[in-house]
Amino acid sequence: MVSLSDIRNSNKSLQDLPPGIVAVFAGATSGVGLGTLKALAKYANAPRAYMIGRSKAKASHLIDKLKLVNPMATFVFIEGQFSLIKDVDKICDEIKKFETHIDILCMSPGYISLGGRQETPEGIETDLALQFYSRQRLLMNLLPLLERSSSPRVISILAAGFEGPLNKDDLECRKNYNLIKASRAAATMTDFMFEEFAKQHPTISFIHHYPGEVGTHFLDNTLASASGLLWLPAQIPRYTILPVYTHLMCITPDESGERTLFLATTTRFPPTTDHGTTGKVDGFVDRPYGVGVARSTVMKEGKGNGVYRANSNAETSKVNKMLDQYREEGMGKVVYDHTIGVFEKALSAETGNGN
Ligand SMILES: NC(=O)c1ccc[n+]([C@@H]2O[C@H](COP(=O)([O-])OP(=O)(O)OC[C@H]3O[C@@H](n4cnc5c(N)ncnc54)[C@H](OP(=O)(O)O)[C@@H]3O)[C@@H](O)[C@H]2O)c1
């Protein structure tokens, strides 16, 4: 476990780096993503941050506040409907107009609907699109820019340690859909996509992050999504148990953001490549005293694969026998091929809105 004071001291060291860390955030208009963006603004030396979101008005208000935290920082809002693969492609084209490299990609858009399976106009279940497919599309498009960073890192804030079984014939959970099954499948597929990307891009490190219990809008939005017979049973905890739970059990989004920024910058989570004379580094900030390199999801002869399942204390999740079994069965390639197939279908879908 890495202490909060070590995490904060590590983040403070970012001020001593040359200016201009470039970070892209999806989901930073609220919650853990916003907390991470605030921490970057607070600690980094003149960073440039891209905020992908769906409301320019909301983002402008946030950017005004972030500018007060760090007047030397640059914040650029890019508008798009993140649940749509076509919009993700357009968002990436915009980012590529401004940047030739990206250091940190932090993804946290998420929403769990109690209203059952709902598809985007491209035919992907919406929660899965936000938690998994659109995030992977964003990552895939930005890999060439990440490759050009001296310390590229990708973080998907989701549910490491809460992976669940996959049905190879129904990875999109079309049959017998339920939100828990789908969320757990999204977590498992995140591990396998990251492992496949790490094989192709060994200079990048990839972290699937479980932030713990954080007092964000996430549960409130979930309860608010209830309708019909579920509406009343959802409103009661929303205004009684949830505020108490948030107050007593959850860390704040700002603290969660500090913890996530540590994950994004420390040498505790190096990529698989030994850099040698390439000029690249294992992270922007050296590990705190007494803190070792974390255990990757796959270790061979003491060498990691550059993929991590990490919690808010920067500890990695326990080895999971189900994931090991899936690896032996070649699930990584199955998930990768499936995901590319879903992108192709989404791109060819007639969405009727000019997309
Ligand atoms: N909070 C926790 O305790 C907790 C625990 C474990 C895992 N997580 C995971 O962490 C991630 C982030 O959660 P959070 O707590 O930070 O949630 P949050 O405060 O509700 O923030 C969610 C973000 O997702 C965006 N979003 C929601 N629905 C969207 C949609 N339909 N299209 C585009 N963007 C959408 C929101 O954008 P708008 O501002 O436009 O709404 C916001 O930026 C989620 O994947 C969640 O599963 C959270």
Side-chain angles (χ1 to χ4, degrees), residues 143 146-153 197-206 270-275 278 280-282:
L143 282 165
L146 284 156
E147 287 266 16
R148 290 194 205 109
S149 164
S150 60
S151 177
R153 193 153 298 171
F197 282 134
K199 286 180 202 160
Q200 299 164 16
H201 302 274
T203 60
I204 303 173
S205 63
F206 299 82
T272 193
T273 300
D274 288 329
H275 297 305
T278 59
K280 294 203 181 232
V281 288
D282 284 344

Side-chain angles (χ1 to χ4, degrees), residues 27 29-32 54 58 81 108-110 135 158 210 212 214 216 218:
T29 49
S30 170
V32 183
R54 50 186 174 165
K58 183 173 182 180
Q81 189 49 263
S108 59
R135 295 189 193 193
L158 194 61
Y210 171 67
V214 189
T216 68
F218 190 75

Side-chain angles (χ1 to χ4, degrees), residues 26-35 52-55 58 62 80-84 107-112 126-127 130-131 135 156-160 162 183 209-222 245 250-251 253 256:
T29 49
S30 170
V32 183
L34 177 58
I52 300 164
R54 50 186 174 165
S55 161
K58 183 173 182 180
L62 294 172
Q81 189 49 263
F82 193 71
S83 57
L84 295 176
M107 303 178 285
S108 59
Y111 168 71
I112 290 185
T126 308
D127 301 350
L130 293 171
Q131 293 180 359
R135 295 189 193 193
S156 189
I157 300 167
L158 194 61
F162 294 87
S183 292
H209 178 38
Y210 171 67
E213 293 164 83
V214 189
T216 68
H217 298 298
F218 190 75
L219 283 177
D220 188 54
N221 287 344
T222 300
Y245 161 80
C250 295
I251 62 170
S256 178

Side-chain angles (χ1 to χ4, degrees), residues 91-111:
I91 288 164
C92 294
D93 290 343
E94 274 301 299
I95 295 170
K96 286 177 188 169
K97 282 185 200 160
F98 297 111
E99 297 296 340
T100 52
H101 86 278
I102 292 168
D103 301 305
I104 298 167
L105 173 60
C106 180
M107 303 178 285
S108 59
Y111 168 71

Side-chain angles (χ1 to χ4, degrees), residues 114-115 223 225-237:
L114 294 177
L223 293 172
S225 72
S227 58
L229 287 177
L230 278 180
W231 184 81
L232 188 60
Q235 299 317 301
I236 295 169

